[in-house]
Amino acid sequence: MSGIILPGADGMLFQRDRDWHPKADTPGYKSTTFRAPKHSLLALGPTKSEMTGPTFGHEKLGPLDNDLIRNFSQDGTDAIGQRMIVYGQVLDENARPVPHTLVEYWQANAGGRYRHKKEGYLAALDPNFGGFGRSITDENGFYHFRTVKPGAYPWPNTGNDWRPAHIHFSVFGHAFAQRLITQMYFEGDPMIWQCPIVATINDKAAIDQLTAKLDRLNTTPMDALAYRFDIVLRGRRSTMFENKLEGN
Amino acid sequence: MLHPVPTLKETPSQTAGPYVHIGMTPNFCDITGVIAEDLGKTMIHGEVAGERIDIVIRMFDGAGTPVFDGVVEIWQADASGNFVGPTAPNSNAVPTFTGWGRQPANEQGEVRFETVKPGRVVGPDGKLQAPHVSLWIVARGINIGLQTRLYFDDEAEANGGDFVLNKIMDKRRRETLIAKRDGSTYRLDIHLQGEKETVFFDI
């Protein structure tokens, strides 16, 4: 068990840099208008309630949970689209791997159509593509999954907005205060710089951090391209400082 | 060097979007056959100590419209004030009480958790915090998950001494975190914006 950051550990987290993250109220992305709190957030050092979090060691993942090409297939037929492997390492801000944590991902199919009852885009559903998968990181923090490249799709924002190709990610870490949802984009996509949701982030370096890089060395010849997407969660300070605060 | 300096920047947040259910509650949006049950749907597996309660949360935006596409996760201590301990990474043993739940909102912006009333947990000041449940809310139009807490209206004395509640300078706003008891159900309305705006935290 050495190397595992136990969820009971109480070390404080580094403060979130909320200028690096998107702000709540970003008028270019219209849905934020009525969903952004107007009061400032109450600064609250994490207590044990937020420094702990759920573990998913007990969740037995199915063998196809990280294979979007096959996990929804009705008859064993592969999903249609550009085959690819997405992989990466979950780290914390101290560059330490985050092992044994749950990573969930979801996406549209190759034509940009989501399998969701409220989605009415005219691009066709793929009967063999669901668009959902999950992994638990290994002892070095690595995850990987197999999928097809999602298509861009239009959405009602200003009249002619299109999302760049993207995959949504949900990551847990080992503290509830590390909980993160984000989106992964693809290197070189010109639509990244036209997207109001991407533009909720001010810093180009932060946007670059959301852009997966083509990894030619890890492509599977005659089968699938590989993209690398590392994810950084909030890092822990040493518990030493906490103890000093408490007079030890 | 007094403090370790972070060497990496945290991955920036993005909205969960309107189709968050595909990834977080796939069975809820009819992606069936991939996983048996949506993760976090059931918090109690078998016999657990403590009072069984339901928590019902309704979410509204700044125009008073239900947040019908939101997802709420909760994390809480068990009835004795302990958080579920670490599980061996390869163990298939499911804890009888997970402490963690996840529910998608319905058309009324409502989520329901079947859980137990949490015990008290020690706070940063060394005193016991009032019983509470930590909440994390994501949805279309929310760029970074909103963090808040739910407290219980039948714990007035504990609430009065709670480390976190007492950090809220405007006492009227403390009420935005306190759920009202109705039988074995506690109800809390969350307002993302406006007159009755809920207190959200930077944790």
Side-chain angles (χ1 to χ4, degrees):
Chain A
M1 294 295 138
S2 65
I4 297 172
I5 302 164
L6 296 175
D10 271 357
M12 299 280 277
L13 294 171
F14 294 113
Q15 189 173 358
R16 230 169 204 163
D17 181 351
R18 289 183 182 267
D19 292 323
W20 179 256
H21 286 284
K23 294 286 203 305
D25 192 3
T26 49
Y29 172 25
K30 291 188 174 180
S31 293
T32 64
T33 303
F34 288 112
R35 292 186 169 195
K38 295 296 186 193
H39 285 86
S40 52
L41 301 175
L42 178 71
L44 180 68
T47 74
K48 190 166 187 173
S49 311
E50 295 83 22
M51 292 304 303
T52 53
T55 52
F56 296 98
H58 58 274
E59 272 299 320
K60 194 175 184 180
L61 299 196
L64 295 179
D65 278 12
N66 69 338
D67 185 0
L68 280 67
I69 291 178
R70 282 280 173 82
N71 68 10
F72 190 74
S73 180
Q74 306 304 298
D75 58 3
T77 306
D78 285 358
I80 294 168
Q82 185 184 82
R83 300 160 70 87
M84 51 177 217
I85 296 156
V86 177
Y87 83 100
Q89 192 177 21
V90 182
L91 303 157
D92 70 13
E93 291 169 291
N94 296 307
R96 284 192 286 247
V98 182
H100 310 301
T101 195
L102 184 66
V103 181
E104 300 164 302
Y105 25 86
W106 65 99
Q107 63 170 89
N109 70 20
R113 175 72 185 269
Y114 280 101
R115 186 172 287 280
H116 191 285
K117 48 197 166 192
K118 290 192 176 166
E119 152 74 290
Y121 180 37
L122 51 78
L125 284 169
D126 176 348
N128 296 307
F129 186 77
F132 158 71
R134 59 184 184 175
S135 304
I136 288 180
T137 58
D138 69 13
E139 63 275 17
N140 296 312
F142 280 94
Y143 72 90
H144 71 276
F145 62 96
R146 200 168 78 130
T147 188
V148 295
K149 187 174 181 182
Y153 70 90
W155 59 297
N157 189 56
T158 63
N160 188 20
D161 281 318
W162 289 68
R163 295 304 322 282
H166 65 279
I167 300 177
H168 297 263
F169 277 75
S170 152
V171 193
F172 280 79
H174 296 143
F176 201 51
Q178 286 177 303
R179 197 76 181 78
L180 181 73
I181 279 187
T182 191
Q183 300 183 28
M184 179 197 107
Y185 305 102
F186 291 87
E187 182 180 37
D189 185 343
M191 298 179 69
I192 292 171
W193 307 104
Q194 303 167 16
C195 175
I197 289 179
V198 175
T200 61
I201 300 172
N202 286 322
D203 194 320
K204 284 202 167 192
I207 293 170
D208 188 57
Q209 199 174 353
L210 296 184
T211 308
K213 308 300 184 287
L214 177 66
D215 179 357
R216 283 294 300 258
L217 290 178
N218 280 300
T219 58
T220 309
M222 306 306 287
D223 182 350
L225 288 172
Y227 280 88
R228 177 160 184 158
F229 182 55
D230 293 342
I231 298 167
V232 179
L233 302 180
R234 300 171 70 187
R236 278 173 200 267
R237 293 160 52 189
S238 159
T239 53
M240 176 171 70
F241 301 111
E242 262 297 82
N243 293 339
K244 279 183 180 167
L245 283 175
E246 289 168 14
N248 293 329
Chain B
M1 193 164 69
L2 284 173
H3 293 268
V5 176
T7 55
L8 300 174
K9 292 295 284 184
E10 187 186 6
T11 296
S13 176
Q14 291 269 264
T15 180
Y19 310 125
V20 55
H21 312 101
I22 295 171
M24 305 231 298
T25 57
N27 290 289
F28 174 78
C29 67
D30 304 328
I31 297 176
T32 55
V34 182
I35 60 172
E37 182 182 284
D38 290 341
L39 202 61
K41 187 174 184 179
T42 308
M43 298 176 68
I44 295 170
H45 303 270
E47 289 291 311
V48 291
E51 183 190 359
R52 297 282 292 258
I53 61 167
D54 287 348
I55 288 174
V56 177
I57 294 165
R58 290 189 306 168
M59 293 178 289
F60 300 95
D61 71 11
T65 307
V67 181
F68 53 83
D69 50 7
V71 172
V72 179
E73 290 185 7
I74 66 172
W75 172 242
Q76 64 165 92
D78 66 14
S80 60
N82 291 308
F83 292 96
V84 173
T87 313
N90 297 316
S91 166
N92 292 324
V94 178
T96 52
F97 180 66
T98 64
W100 177 77
R102 173 196 277 169
Q103 294 289 345
N106 64 16
E107 291 297 317
Q108 286 72 47
E110 187 176 280
V111 295
R112 173 184 293 267
F113 296 92
E114 296 175 14
T115 185
V116 297
K117 195 170 177 191
R120 299 181 71 171
V121 180
V122 71
D125 57 355
K127 297 177 189 160
L128 288 174
Q129 302 180 74
H132 64 274
V133 172
S134 296
L135 309 182
W136 184 72
I137 300 163
V138 294
R140 168 180 63 89
I142 296 176
N143 286 329
I144 182 165
L146 295 169
Q147 295 156 300
T148 185
R149 283 184 174 190
L150 177 148
Y151 288 84
F152 301 90
D153 72 341
D154 53 355
E155 299 285 348
E157 190 181 335
N159 290 344
D162 183 78
F163 177 84
V164 171
L165 286 174
N166 284 325
K167 278 202 159 203
I168 304 169
M169 288 304 147
D170 181 347
K171 288 188 177 179
R172 291 165 303 178
R173 298 198 71 216
R174 296 179 189 175
E175 295 299 317
T176 66
L177 305 188
I178 297 175
K180 302 278 187 292
R181 183 160 197 145
D182 171 11
S184 61
T185 300
Y186 289 90
R187 297 180 185 278
L188 181 69
D189 285 353
I190 287 185
H191 295 269
L192 302 185
Q193 189 189 87
E195 289 271 307
K196 294 179 273 186
E197 187 173 307
T198 298
V199 175
F200 297 104
F201 304 138
D202 184 10
I203 291 171

